[in-house]
Amino acid sequence: MICPKRTSELLDLHLAPFKDKDPAWEIGVSKIAGRGVVATRSLKRGEIIFRDSPLLIGLAAHEEDSLNACSVCLKMLPDTRFMCRQGCGLPVCSLCAKKKQHKSDCDLFKSWGPNEPDVANSVIIRLLCVARAINLNKEQRDLIYCLQANLDNNHRTEVRNAAKCFKNFPTDKKLIEIMNRTVAVLRTNGFDKTTDRTNDNQEFNYRALYPLFGVVNHDCIPNAYYTFEEKTNNMIVRAAVDIPEGFEVTTTYTKLFTGNIARHLFLKMKKNFTCKCSRCSDPTEKGAFISGLYCRDTNCTGLVVPEISGLPHPNWNCLVCKQKSTHAQMMKSQDFASGAINAKVNSNSLRTLVQYLNEKSDSFIPSSNYVVIDAKMSVLQRLQQGREDCSEELAHNTRLRYSRDITQLMDKLGLGDSLLRSHLEELLQREEERRAKRLADEAEKQLKLTELQAKAAEADKLLEVLEKEQAEQAKPAGTADPGTAPAAPPLATAELA
Ligand SMILES: [Zn+2]
Ligand SMILES: [Zn+2]
Ligand SMILES: [Zn+2]
Ligand SMILES: [Zn+2]
């Protein structure tokens, strides 16, 4: 571990252009791992903790169809014909072609001689973020070496593969080592289109390294969250909950809604450590039961959760009847449920999926289970794009119900603010307002109806009175109708007959 003091000095240099005079954080010894970012005063929920700028940034260029962007400003271009005319093998817009950054990228790649400089090649474009480390100054490069790097067997593959795309790729050991190290640091601490640091429902389209954020340690209930400024790609890190002075600032490296076992496995494999946070030490995950399954005993209504053992295949315990089950037994239930729900997720009908989640899935899987949450998230996402075969009524009710379900689960886990939460809360508020308006509209309609009915009743009464009056007038009250002959007295008629 590199000492916190040296890391702080290098970070100060990196952050100099916009560092606060009185920062709310410092690099300190961490209770979680090595060193971390510690709050130097108490922070209120929502307060900015720090800003960070990318030390390295480039196009992610993961897929062949995402190569139409400028390698300097990173903006999308109409197609892939914007390759630099100087033969560096990089796409660049006409404005950026004249910029200093491209001059330095261009000189470097031209000297390596791309095999086909006029064709957009994802390997070359993706390498740029890594290769830019070569042109950093000494302190900036030292900062890269200060950050955690998983130097496994695979970290050399990228540069090795890229070498095949150039005629004169450098053979200098020091240059290759810098690039390999940068790849490892990017893989451990960087952002990339496909890494799990894009878990907060925000897609990050580039490949980038934010050094201060790279020092922030993991907790499965993070107390901080981040957003990006679109223009500068700078990162803003805020307190997700109130953070007391002296507490470590944390973020999450995993998806929020995965169970204990899956998170452990991911952190072990990809990030090389075992998480011992409060969520990981609690088999019920703070009562959120993200991995919870029903008891195999059909007479028991209890939930079954995996033991905290650190093993990849722990035993599971029913919280009611205490029955033990093996991991394999419980995985059978989980796989069955996942299979059934995912089949509905992948079917084309949104209405069928919603009906299934509302009426059927509860009979074989608890609604807190991650597969149900994932399905609900995908419903909300699809509803955002249009309501497909759902009626307006069903779409409204579903938005209201699912965003409420998910935020309630976040509350149980003790998760504070995040982009996901603000998105769900916004949705919830909009739906609640819509519902309130609909109820008000209905009440108004009802009022109008009552008024109308009252008026109708009044009119009826009036009519009745009128009719009565008419009837009164029509009675033979001594005055004969001039048009008809006076009626003969009944007796006379009888006599005539
Ligand atoms: Zn550009
Ligand atoms: Zn160029
Ligand atoms: Zn944890
Ligand atoms: Zn049981």
Side-chain angles (χ1 to χ4, degrees):
M1 179 188 103
I2 294 144
C3 83
K5 198 167 158 272
R6 179 71 181 138
T7 314
S8 293
E9 285 167 10
L10 293 170
L11 280 169
D12 280 350
L13 284 174
H14 167 68
L15 298 172
F18 51 85
K19 196 184 173 188
D20 296 340
K21 282 189 196 76
D22 179 25
W25 57 272
E26 65 181 10
I27 304 297
V29 176
S30 158
K31 284 192 186 103
I32 303 168
R35 72 213 145 162
V37 176
V38 179
T40 50
R41 56 180 159 85
S42 64
L43 288 154
K44 283 263 160 291
R45 183 173 183 156
E47 210 179 311
I48 294 179
I49 309 173
F50 64 78
R51 287 170 203 272
D52 198 359
S53 71
L55 178 63
L56 292 170
I57 190 160
L59 294 170
H62 266 291
E63 296 124 25
E64 292 296 334
D65 60 355
S66 63
L67 303 179
N68 51 331
C70 170
S71 58
V72 177
C73 66
L74 311 171
K75 286 201 183 90
M76 294 304 284
L77 300 170
D79 52 51
T80 55
R81 289 173 304 171
F82 287 78
M83 301 305 288
C84 171
R85 298 217 180 106
Q86 310 287 318
C88 64
L90 294 168
V92 65
C93 72
S94 52
L95 275 176
C96 294
K98 298 180 195 105
K99 284 187 187 163
K100 228 169 94 188
Q101 176 70 62
H102 183 66
K103 173 106 183 52
S104 115
D105 296 339
C106 195
D107 287 347
L108 188 70
F109 276 24
K110 256 188 326 198
S111 72
W112 295 354
N115 294 336
E116 286 180 295
D118 299 329
V119 182
N121 176 339
S122 66
V123 179
I124 291 184
I125 296 171
R126 193 167 155 69
L127 185 74
L128 182 62
C129 178
V130 176
R132 279 176 177 167
I134 294 172
N135 286 330
L136 293 179
N137 66 34
K138 183 176 179 309
E139 282 77 21
Q140 289 173 321
R141 221 174 307 138
D142 282 355
L143 184 52
I144 294 180
Y145 276 77
C146 256
L147 298 171
Q148 204 63 243
N150 180 8
L151 299 167
D152 62 12
N153 291 333
N154 298 324
H155 83 281
R156 295 190 186 89
T157 320
E158 178 174 345
V159 174
R160 207 179 285 147
N161 286 341
K164 295 173 196 155
C165 304
F166 295 92
K167 290 189 223 49
N168 309 308
F169 198 73
T171 47
D172 182 286
K173 275 203 180 123
K174 190 150 175 271
L175 281 191
I176 304 285
E177 148 65 18
I178 291 172
M179 285 194 275
N180 281 337
R181 181 74 179 210
T182 305
V183 169
V185 170
L186 275 168
R187 280 172 44 181
T188 313
N189 290 295
F191 282 81
D192 206 327
K193 202 174 155 90
T194 55
T195 59
D196 294 79
R197 280 213 164 161
T198 55
N199 60 65
D200 193 12
N201 251 20
Q202 48 177 330
E203 191 149 297
F204 190 73
N205 288 315
Y206 319 122
R207 190 178 195 195
L209 182 65
Y210 292 84
L212 175 53
F213 190 74
V215 182
V216 177
N217 280 315
H218 165 91
D219 192 297
C220 298
I221 305 170
N223 61 13
Y225 74 103
Y226 54 82
T227 49
F228 296 102
E229 283 174 333
E230 215 177 291
K231 261 195 177 157
T232 56
N233 285 314
N234 283 347
M235 171 193 259
I236 302 172
V237 177
R238 287 190 161 83
V241 290
D242 291 347
I243 305 175
E245 183 185 337
F247 272 57
E248 190 168 350
V249 175
T250 55
T251 181
T252 175
Y253 302 165
T254 70
K255 279 166 98 182
L256 292 173
F257 300 117
T258 46
N260 274 350
I261 304 176
R263 285 198 325 279
H264 267 229
L265 217 60
F266 174 83
L267 292 170
K268 189 96 213 137
M269 305 278 288
K270 295 269 169 111
K271 306 286 170 182
N272 227 358
F273 75 97
T274 306
C275 185
K276 293 187 176 114
C277 76
S278 59
R279 178 173 170 189
C280 288
S281 325
D282 178 357
T284 74
E285 294 187 44
K286 310 256 170 187
F289 299 104
I290 307 288
S291 21
L293 291 166
Y294 288 136
C295 183
R296 290 190 306 125
D297 182 343
T298 44
N299 293 319
C300 175
T301 53
L303 287 184
V304 189
V305 291
E307 272 174 12
I308 303 293
S309 63
L311 298 170
H313 302 129
N315 280 328
W316 292 56
N317 295 318
C318 173
L319 294 169
V320 174
C321 75
K322 310 288 175 206
Q323 193 192 146
K324 254 191 202 326
S325 302
T326 65
H327 186 64
Q329 283 167 329
M330 296 322 295
M331 278 306 99
K332 236 186 201 171
S333 311
Q334 180 68 61
D335 288 347
F336 167 76
S338 301
I341 289 176
N342 289 335
K344 289 282 183 278
V345 171
N346 297 330
S347 80
N348 294 325
S349 167
L350 188 57
R351 198 183 56 214
T352 317
L353 170 60
V354 171
Q355 277 168 349
Y356 193 75
L357 291 173
N358 293 352
E359 292 157 23
K360 292 262 167 56
S361 67
D362 213 30
S363 67
F364 58 88
I365 187 138
S367 62
S368 62
N369 187 282
Y370 63 87
V371 71
V372 181
I373 307 169
D374 277 351
K376 285 181 178 171
M377 295 267 248
S378 84
V379 169
L380 289 178
Q381 220 158 34
R382 276 168 74 173
L383 279 173
Q384 206 173 356
Q385 285 147 15
R387 58 182 167 77
E388 299 179 29
D389 58 349
C390 281
S391 68
E392 207 165 320
E393 177 81 6
L394 183 62
H396 289 323
N397 290 341
T398 306
R399 278 195 210 107
L400 195 66
R401 180 169 166 178
Y402 291 3
S403 46
R404 196 177 280 155
D405 288 352
I406 299 168
T407 43
Q408 276 171 358
L409 217 54
M410 294 177 96
D411 290 339
K412 273 190 188 160
L413 279 169
L415 288 168
D417 290 340
S418 62
L419 275 188
L420 176 61
R421 184 187 280 273
S422 27
H423 170 70
L424 291 173
E425 282 178 349
E426 222 170 82
L427 204 65
L428 200 59
Q429 197 190 339
R430 218 180 322 150
E431 287 307 326
E432 264 163 2
E433 276 169 11
R434 208 192 305 249
R435 196 152 126 148
K437 188 176 177 302
R438 211 183 57 200
L439 287 177
D441 283 353
E442 258 164 39
E444 197 181 330
K445 241 189 241 166
Q446 191 60 45
L447 194 73
K448 272 192 186 144
L449 194 70
T450 319
E451 273 173 20
L452 276 175
Q453 277 169 343
K455 272 186 190 152
E458 223 168 87
D460 276 349
K461 247 185 218 160
L462 221 69
L463 204 68
E464 215 172 284
V465 173
L466 224 73
E467 272 170 358
K468 229 182 232 169
E469 270 178 20
Q470 265 177 359
E472 292 280 318
Q473 281 171 10
K475 266 190 198 156
T479 49
D481 192 294
T484 50
L491 189 67
T493 320
E495 273 172 359
L496 275 172

